[in-house]
Amino acid sequence: ETGVTQTPRHLVMGMTNKKSLKCEQHLGHNAMYWYKQSAKKPLELMFVYNFKEQTENNSVPSRFSPECPNSSHLFLHLHTLQPEDSALYLCASSQDERDNEQFFGPGTRLTVL
Amino acid sequence: QKEVEQDPGPLSVPEGAIVSLNCTYSNSAFQYFMWYRQYSRKGPELLMYTYSSGNKEDGRFTAQVDKSSKYISLFIRDSQPSDSATYLCAMSGPGGGSYIPTFGRGTSLIVHP
């Protein structure tokens, strides 16, 4: 595998479910990011991890819980989501958080019923 | 006023046309300017990266930055149907956490044969 991978690619969940999104980067980067992409809206930064430490939480509701066990893996744990949370969730990585060049995964298309 | 303004389109052009995609911004601290291309059901991929004002050319693509007007452009010459995608502009500043890009909402481009 090369680049940034995300699983699952599609996820449908009810509002009471708990699920997790996984991201893995094979680029040797030290910073990883979660973004939310909704139709016709700019990418919304959610979380930033730099060398496994969370450095940014962009006022994200607590029903989204990130986890970064090492520099190569990033998770987004989902719990009691709302229908308006339906979106494409993108993971990205960069050399470190001072590096502008981000590499994106293909995203997880999330639908909350 | 949004920090980065980008017309969502869609912009529909015939094959072979010259395409001009644009963004305006309000934050004069931005110094790094990027264009990402996002195909349907894929994550964004970095297309062009420029620092400060000026032009940068890469094959059929030219990125232009006018910091005095807070205006950036991406030109595509001899457009092809394979250029059909959403193009996102992004920009960031020099420090204090502002390396993380601020994105426009993307312009959908359709190049028809």
Side-chain angles (χ1 to χ4, degrees):
Chain A
E1 291 265 27
T2 58
V4 181
T5 58
Q6 289 186 245
T7 54
R9 294 293 310 276
H10 301 273
L11 179 62
V12 179
M13 59 187 289
M15 289 191 284
T16 58
N17 291 157
K18 288 184 182 180
K19 296 286 184 184
S20 295
L21 310 185
K22 179 183 176 183
C23 175
E24 184 173 0
Q25 57 94 1
H26 307 267
L27 301 168
H29 289 165
N30 296 298
M32 296 188 78
Y33 311 79
W34 279 117
Y35 285 92
K36 177 183 178 182
Q37 188 176 37
S38 304
K40 303 299 183 185
K41 292 176 70 175
L43 283 176
E44 297 175 50
L45 179 68
M46 300 175 72
F47 302 103
V48 181
Y49 278 83
N50 195 46
F51 292 92
K52 300 190 297 178
E53 298 297 319
Q54 186 180 127
T55 58
E56 183 107 12
N57 176 339
N58 202 22
S59 303
V60 180
S62 59
R63 57 186 185 268
F64 295 91
S65 174
E67 179 189 359
C68 187
N70 54 61
S71 292
S72 299
H73 293 86
L74 185 65
F75 295 88
L76 188 63
H77 303 300
L78 315 173
H79 177 50
T80 58
L81 295 192
Q82 305 298 310
E84 59 265 30
D85 296 322
S86 298
L88 182 68
Y89 289 84
L90 290 161
C91 173
S93 71
S94 63
Q95 190 59 50
D96 56 51
E97 66 175 352
R98 291 166 57 91
D99 182 7
N100 298 281
E101 187 173 358
Q102 297 185 355
F103 293 79
F104 285 83
T108 295
R109 173 68 61 186
L110 174 67
T111 303
V112 182
L113 302 177
Chain B
Q1 183 187 11
K2 295 187 179 67
E3 243 187 327
V4 178
E5 297 274 7
Q6 185 175 13
D7 187 333
L11 176 63
S12 182
V13 301
E15 183 175 356
I18 296 174
V19 175
S20 172
L21 303 167
N22 311 294
C23 288
T24 58
Y25 62 96
S26 57
N27 187 347
S28 58
F30 288 145
Q31 292 197 28
Y32 302 94
F33 303 92
M34 292 143 282
W35 285 95
Y36 284 82
R37 178 175 62 196
Q38 185 175 19
Y39 290 114
S40 180
R41 290 183 291 278
K42 296 281 182 70
E45 58 175 327
L46 185 65
L47 196 59
M48 298 286 283
Y49 177 104
T50 54
Y51 171 72
S52 196
S53 285
N55 292 0
K56 183 175 182 179
E57 190 173 319
D58 183 1
R60 297 184 294 110
F61 298 88
T62 299
Q64 201 170 77
V65 175
D66 182 349
K67 289 189 67 182
S68 62
S69 302
K70 298 191 181 70
Y71 188 88
I72 69 170
S73 300
L74 178 71
F75 298 96
I76 307 174
R77 291 183 298 280
D78 187 25
S79 56
Q80 303 294 309
S82 58
D83 295 326
S84 299
T86 296
Y87 290 80
L88 301 100
C89 64
M91 45 202 79
S92 64
S98 59
Y99 284 105
I100 297 170
T102 299
F103 286 84
R105 51 183 175 157
T107 298
S108 175
L109 172 66
I110 301 167
V111 181
H112 50 87

PDB file of all heavy atoms in Angstrom, chain B residues 39-61:
ATOM      1  N   TYR B  39     -11.032  14.396  -7.914  1.00  0.00           N
ATOM      2  CA  TYR B  39     -11.930  13.643  -8.762  1.00  0.00           C
ATOM      3  C   TYR B  39     -13.056  13.072  -7.914  1.00  0.00           C
ATOM      4  O   TYR B  39     -12.917  12.894  -6.700  1.00  0.00           O
ATOM      5  CB  TYR B  39     -11.189  12.512  -9.483  1.00  0.00           C
ATOM      6  CG  TYR B  39     -10.226  12.973 -10.544  1.00  0.00           C
ATOM      7  CD1 TYR B  39      -8.852  12.788 -10.411  1.00  0.00           C
ATOM      8  CD2 TYR B  39     -10.689  13.603 -11.703  1.00  0.00           C
ATOM      9  CE1 TYR B  39      -7.968  13.193 -11.387  1.00  0.00           C
ATOM     10  CE2 TYR B  39      -9.805  14.029 -12.692  1.00  0.00           C
ATOM     11  CZ  TYR B  39      -8.449  13.822 -12.522  1.00  0.00           C
ATOM     12  OH  TYR B  39      -7.573  14.248 -13.486  1.00  0.00           O
ATOM     13  N   SER B  40     -14.148  12.734  -8.594  1.00  0.00           N
ATOM     14  CA  SER B  40     -15.305  12.173  -7.907  1.00  0.00           C
ATOM     15  C   SER B  40     -14.907  10.910  -7.146  1.00  0.00           C
ATOM     16  O   SER B  40     -14.169  10.072  -7.666  1.00  0.00           O
ATOM     17  CB  SER B  40     -16.390  11.867  -8.942  1.00  0.00           C
ATOM     18  OG  SER B  40     -17.524  11.326  -8.321  1.00  0.00           O
ATOM     19  N   ARG B  41     -15.336  10.816  -5.906  1.00  0.00           N
ATOM     20  CA  ARG B  41     -15.097   9.661  -5.036  1.00  0.00           C
ATOM     21  C   ARG B  41     -13.614   9.455  -4.716  1.00  0.00           C
ATOM     22  O   ARG B  41     -13.172   8.358  -4.390  1.00  0.00           O
ATOM     23  CB  ARG B  41     -15.690   8.382  -5.632  1.00  0.00           C
ATOM     24  CG  ARG B  41     -17.207   8.360  -5.625  1.00  0.00           C
ATOM     25  CD  ARG B  41     -17.734   7.025  -6.153  1.00  0.00           C
ATOM     26  NE  ARG B  41     -17.489   6.856  -7.565  1.00  0.00           N
ATOM     27  CZ  ARG B  41     -18.260   7.378  -8.518  1.00  0.00           C
ATOM     28  NH1 ARG B  41     -19.309   8.089  -8.203  1.00  0.00           N
ATOM     29  NH2 ARG B  41     -17.985   7.160  -9.795  1.00  0.00           N
ATOM     30  N   LYS B  42     -12.843  10.555  -4.811  1.00  0.00           N
ATOM     31  CA  LYS B  42     -11.432  10.492  -4.425  1.00  0.00           C
ATOM     32  C   LYS B  42     -11.108  11.645  -3.470  1.00  0.00           C
ATOM     33  O   LYS B  42     -11.883  12.596  -3.349  1.00  0.00           O
ATOM     34  CB  LYS B  42     -10.539  10.617  -5.670  1.00  0.00           C
ATOM     35  CG  LYS B  42     -10.670   9.483  -6.669  1.00  0.00           C
ATOM     36  CD  LYS B  42      -9.902   8.265  -6.206  1.00  0.00           C
ATOM     37  CE  LYS B  42      -9.965   7.121  -7.201  1.00  0.00           C
ATOM     38  NZ  LYS B  42      -9.200   7.398  -8.420  1.00  0.00           N
ATOM     39  N   GLY B  43      -9.968  11.541  -2.799  1.00  0.00           N
ATOM     40  CA  GLY B  43      -9.512  12.652  -1.989  1.00  0.00           C
ATOM     41  C   GLY B  43      -8.797  13.695  -2.833  1.00  0.00           C
ATOM     42  O   GLY B  43      -8.388  13.422  -3.963  1.00  0.00           O
ATOM     43  N   PRO B  44      -8.641  14.907  -2.320  1.00  0.00           N
ATOM     44  CA  PRO B  44      -7.909  15.935  -3.069  1.00  0.00           C
ATOM     45  C   PRO B  44      -6.439  15.538  -3.251  1.00  0.00           C
ATOM     46  O   PRO B  44      -5.852  14.898  -2.376  1.00  0.00           O
ATOM     47  CB  PRO B  44      -8.025  17.171  -2.172  1.00  0.00           C
ATOM     48  CG  PRO B  44      -9.170  16.891  -1.246  1.00  0.00           C
ATOM     49  CD  PRO B  44      -9.175  15.415  -1.048  1.00  0.00           C
ATOM     50  N   GLU B  45      -5.865  15.928  -4.388  1.00  0.00           N
ATOM     51  CA  GLU B  45      -4.434  15.729  -4.629  1.00  0.00           C
ATOM     52  C   GLU B  45      -3.819  17.083  -4.979  1.00  0.00           C
ATOM     53  O   GLU B  45      -4.412  17.879  -5.710  1.00  0.00           O
ATOM     54  CB  GLU B  45      -4.193  14.719  -5.761  1.00  0.00           C
ATOM     55  CG  GLU B  45      -4.819  15.107  -7.078  1.00  0.00           C
ATOM     56  CD  GLU B  45      -4.464  14.168  -8.218  1.00  0.00           C
ATOM     57  OE1 GLU B  45      -3.344  13.627  -8.228  1.00  0.00           O
ATOM     58  OE2 GLU B  45      -5.316  13.997  -9.108  1.00  0.00           O
ATOM     59  N   LEU B  46      -2.647  17.329  -4.440  1.00  0.00           N
ATOM     60  CA  LEU B  46      -1.981  18.607  -4.673  1.00  0.00           C
ATOM     61  C   LEU B  46      -1.554  18.715  -6.135  1.00  0.00           C
ATOM     62  O   LEU B  46      -0.879  17.850  -6.667  1.00  0.00           O
ATOM     63  CB  LEU B  46      -0.762  18.746  -3.759  1.00  0.00           C
ATOM     64  CG  LEU B  46      -0.039  20.081  -3.824  1.00  0.00           C
ATOM     65  CD1 LEU B  46      -0.940  21.199  -3.325  1.00  0.00           C
ATOM     66  CD2 LEU B  46       1.247  20.024  -3.003  1.00  0.00           C
ATOM     67  N   LEU B  47      -1.945  19.822  -6.745  1.00  0.00           N
ATOM     68  CA  LEU B  47      -1.668  20.044  -8.161  1.00  0.00           C
ATOM     69  C   LEU B  47      -0.560  21.078  -8.351  1.00  0.00           C
ATOM     70  O   LEU B  47       0.371  20.885  -9.112  1.00  0.00           O
ATOM     71  CB  LEU B  47      -2.950  20.530  -8.834  1.00  0.00           C
ATOM     72  CG  LEU B  47      -3.069  20.505 -10.342  1.00  0.00           C
ATOM     73  CD1 LEU B  47      -2.905  19.114 -10.886  1.00  0.00           C
ATOM     74  CD2 LEU B  47      -4.432  21.075 -10.754  1.00  0.00           C
ATOM     75  N   MET B  48      -0.691  22.201  -7.650  1.00  0.00           N
ATOM     76  CA  MET B  48       0.272  23.285  -7.787  1.00  0.00           C
ATOM     77  C   MET B  48       0.503  23.918  -6.418  1.00  0.00           C
ATOM     78  O   MET B  48      -0.409  24.001  -5.597  1.00  0.00           O
ATOM     79  CB  MET B  48      -0.255  24.376  -8.731  1.00  0.00           C
ATOM     80  CG  MET B  48      -0.512  23.928 -10.144  1.00  0.00           C
ATOM     81  SD  MET B  48       1.017  23.696 -11.078  1.00  0.00           S
ATOM     82  CE  MET B  48       1.450  25.394 -11.446  1.00  0.00           C
ATOM     83  N   TYR B  49       1.716  24.406  -6.224  1.00  0.00           N
ATOM     84  CA  TYR B  49       2.105  25.023  -4.943  1.00  0.00           C
ATOM     85  C   TYR B  49       2.967  26.227  -5.267  1.00  0.00           C
ATOM     86  O   TYR B  49       3.955  26.109  -5.981  1.00  0.00           O
ATOM     87  CB  TYR B  49       2.870  23.988  -4.128  1.00  0.00           C
ATOM     88  CG  TYR B  49       3.416  24.455  -2.816  1.00  0.00           C
ATOM     89  CD1 TYR B  49       2.794  24.098  -1.631  1.00  0.00           C
ATOM     90  CD2 TYR B  49       4.574  25.227  -2.739  1.00  0.00           C
ATOM     91  CE1 TYR B  49       3.296  24.498  -0.404  1.00  0.00           C
ATOM     92  CE2 TYR B  49       5.083  25.638  -1.523  1.00  0.00           C
ATOM     93  CZ  TYR B  49       4.441  25.268  -0.361  1.00  0.00           C
ATOM     94  OH  TYR B  49       4.939  25.675   0.850  1.00  0.00           O
ATOM     95  N   THR B  50       2.584  27.393  -4.758  1.00  0.00           N
ATOM     96  CA  THR B  50       3.390  28.593  -4.992  1.00  0.00           C
ATOM     97  C   THR B  50       3.594  29.337  -3.685  1.00  0.00           C
ATOM     98  O   THR B  50       2.760  29.251  -2.772  1.00  0.00           O
ATOM     99  CB  THR B  50       2.738  29.539  -6.020  1.00  0.00           C
ATOM    100  OG1 THR B  50       1.397  29.820  -5.591  1.00  0.00           O
ATOM    101  CG2 THR B  50       2.707  28.934  -7.394  1.00  0.00           C
ATOM    102  N   TYR B  51       4.675  30.052  -3.644  1.00  0.00           N
ATOM    103  CA  TYR B  51       4.992  30.877  -2.471  1.00  0.00           C
ATOM    104  C   TYR B  51       4.984  32.333  -2.892  1.00  0.00           C
ATOM    105  O   TYR B  51       5.603  32.696  -3.896  1.00  0.00           O
ATOM    106  CB  TYR B  51       6.342  30.492  -1.886  1.00  0.00           C
ATOM    107  CG  TYR B  51       6.827  31.431  -0.815  1.00  0.00           C
ATOM    108  CD1 TYR B  51       6.222  31.443   0.437  1.00  0.00           C
ATOM    109  CD2 TYR B  51       7.872  32.322  -1.059  1.00  0.00           C
ATOM    110  CE1 TYR B  51       6.640  32.310   1.423  1.00  0.00           C
ATOM    111  CE2 TYR B  51       8.299  33.187  -0.070  1.00  0.00           C
ATOM    112  CZ  TYR B  51       7.681  33.186   1.175  1.00  0.00           C
ATOM    113  OH  TYR B  51       8.100  34.052   2.138  1.00  0.00           O
ATOM    114  N   SER B  52       4.243  33.142  -2.159  1.00  0.00           N
ATOM    115  CA  SER B  52       4.169  34.580  -2.378  1.00  0.00           C
ATOM    116  C   SER B  52       3.619  34.889  -3.776  1.00  0.00           C
ATOM    117  O   SER B  52       2.944  34.083  -4.384  1.00  0.00           O
ATOM    118  CB  SER B  52       5.540  35.218  -2.136  1.00  0.00           C
ATOM    119  OG  SER B  52       5.396  36.618  -1.991  1.00  0.00           O
ATOM    120  N   SER B  53       3.919  36.044  -4.307  1.00  0.00           N
ATOM    121  CA  SER B  53       3.346  36.457  -5.593  1.00  0.00           C
ATOM    122  C   SER B  53       4.116  35.873  -6.767  1.00  0.00           C
ATOM    123  O   SER B  53       5.256  35.437  -6.617  1.00  0.00           O
ATOM    124  CB  SER B  53       3.355  37.984  -5.698  1.00  0.00           C
ATOM    125  OG  SER B  53       2.346  38.543  -4.905  1.00  0.00           O
ATOM    126  N   GLY B  54       3.475  35.888  -7.930  1.00  0.00           N
ATOM    127  CA  GLY B  54       4.152  35.458  -9.143  1.00  0.00           C
ATOM    128  C   GLY B  54       3.427  34.324  -9.824  1.00  0.00           C
ATOM    129  O   GLY B  54       2.323  33.947  -9.454  1.00  0.00           O
ATOM    130  N   ASN B  55       4.081  33.787 -10.851  1.00  0.00           N
ATOM    131  CA  ASN B  55       3.527  32.708 -11.657  1.00  0.00           C
ATOM    132  C   ASN B  55       4.348  31.446 -11.492  1.00  0.00           C
ATOM    133  O   ASN B  55       5.553  31.498 -11.225  1.00  0.00           O
ATOM    134  CB  ASN B  55       3.547  33.090 -13.143  1.00  0.00           C
ATOM    135  CG  ASN B  55       2.582  34.203 -13.466  1.00  0.00           C
ATOM    136  OD1 ASN B  55       1.896  34.710 -12.601  1.00  0.00           O
ATOM    137  ND2 ASN B  55       2.568  34.589 -14.729  1.00  0.00           N
ATOM    138  N   LYS B  56       3.677  30.322 -11.668  1.00  0.00           N
ATOM    139  CA  LYS B  56       4.377  29.036 -11.707  1.00  0.00           C
ATOM    140  C   LYS B  56       3.717  28.173 -12.755  1.00  0.00           C
ATOM    141  O   LYS B  56       2.482  28.081 -12.777  1.00  0.00           O
ATOM    142  CB  LYS B  56       4.327  28.350 -10.342  1.00  0.00           C
ATOM    143  CG  LYS B  56       5.108  27.040 -10.286  1.00  0.00           C
ATOM    144  CD  LYS B  56       5.113  26.493  -8.883  1.00  0.00           C
ATOM    145  CE  LYS B  56       5.932  25.223  -8.783  1.00  0.00           C
ATOM    146  NZ  LYS B  56       5.955  24.700  -7.393  1.00  0.00           N
ATOM    147  N   GLU B  57       4.518  27.569 -13.605  1.00  0.00           N
ATOM    148  CA  GLU B  57       3.974  26.783 -14.701  1.00  0.00           C
ATOM    149  C   GLU B  57       4.397  25.329 -14.561  1.00  0.00           C
ATOM    150  O   GLU B  57       5.535  25.029 -14.198  1.00  0.00           O
ATOM    151  CB  GLU B  57       4.478  27.350 -16.038  1.00  0.00           C
ATOM    152  CG  GLU B  57       3.800  26.765 -17.259  1.00  0.00           C
ATOM    153  CD  GLU B  57       4.221  27.490 -18.530  1.00  0.00           C
ATOM    154  OE1 GLU B  57       4.328  28.727 -18.502  1.00  0.00           O
ATOM    155  OE2 GLU B  57       4.466  26.799 -19.537  1.00  0.00           O
ATOM    156  N   ASP B  58       3.458  24.424 -14.870  1.00  0.00           N
ATOM    157  CA  ASP B  58       3.766  22.999 -14.854  1.00  0.00           C
ATOM    158  C   ASP B  58       2.938  22.344 -15.952  1.00  0.00           C
ATOM    159  O   ASP B  58       1.741  22.099 -15.766  1.00  0.00           O
ATOM    160  CB  ASP B  58       3.437  22.388 -13.484  1.00  0.00           C
ATOM    161  CG  ASP B  58       3.821  20.922 -13.403  1.00  0.00           C
ATOM    162  OD1 ASP B  58       4.356  20.371 -14.388  1.00  0.00           O
ATOM    163  OD2 ASP B  58       3.586  20.315 -12.339  1.00  0.00           O
ATOM    164  N   GLY B  59       3.562  22.133 -17.092  1.00  0.00           N
ATOM    165  CA  GLY B  59       2.841  21.547 -18.217  1.00  0.00           C
ATOM    166  C   GLY B  59       1.717  22.454 -18.679  1.00  0.00           C
ATOM    167  O   GLY B  59       1.940  23.629 -18.975  1.00  0.00           O
ATOM    168  N   ARG B  60       0.513  21.945 -18.695  1.00  0.00           N
ATOM    169  CA  ARG B  60      -0.635  22.739 -19.151  1.00  0.00           C
ATOM    170  C   ARG B  60      -1.200  23.639 -18.056  1.00  0.00           C
ATOM    171  O   ARG B  60      -2.144  24.394 -18.297  1.00  0.00           O
ATOM    172  CB  ARG B  60      -1.745  21.797 -19.640  1.00  0.00           C
ATOM    173  CG  ARG B  60      -1.362  20.955 -20.848  1.00  0.00           C
ATOM    174  CD  ARG B  60      -2.534  20.113 -21.365  1.00  0.00           C
ATOM    175  NE  ARG B  60      -2.956  19.091 -20.421  1.00  0.00           N
ATOM    176  CZ  ARG B  60      -4.103  19.111 -19.748  1.00  0.00           C
ATOM    177  NH1 ARG B  60      -4.974  20.107 -19.917  1.00  0.00           N
ATOM    178  NH2 ARG B  60      -4.419  18.128 -18.916  1.00  0.00           N
ATOM    179  N   PHE B  61      -0.650  23.555 -16.864  1.00  0.00           N
ATOM    180  CA  PHE B  61      -1.181  24.294 -15.717  1.00  0.00           C
ATOM    181  C   PHE B  61      -0.279  25.474 -15.351  1.00  0.00           C
ATOM    182  O   PHE B  61       0.941  25.335 -15.314  1.00  0.00           O
ATOM    183  CB  PHE B  61      -1.316  23.370 -14.500  1.00  0.00           C
ATOM    184  CG  PHE B  61      -2.263  22.222 -14.712  1.00  0.00           C
ATOM    185  CD1 PHE B  61      -1.817  21.026 -15.261  1.00  0.00           C
ATOM    186  CD2 PHE B  61      -3.601  22.343 -14.380  1.00  0.00           C
ATOM    187  CE1 PHE B  61      -2.690  19.966 -15.462  1.00  0.00           C
ATOM    188  CE2 PHE B  61      -4.483  21.294 -14.577  1.00  0.00           C
ATOM    189  CZ  PHE B  61      -4.022  20.101 -15.122  1.00  0.00           C
TER     190      PHE B  61
END
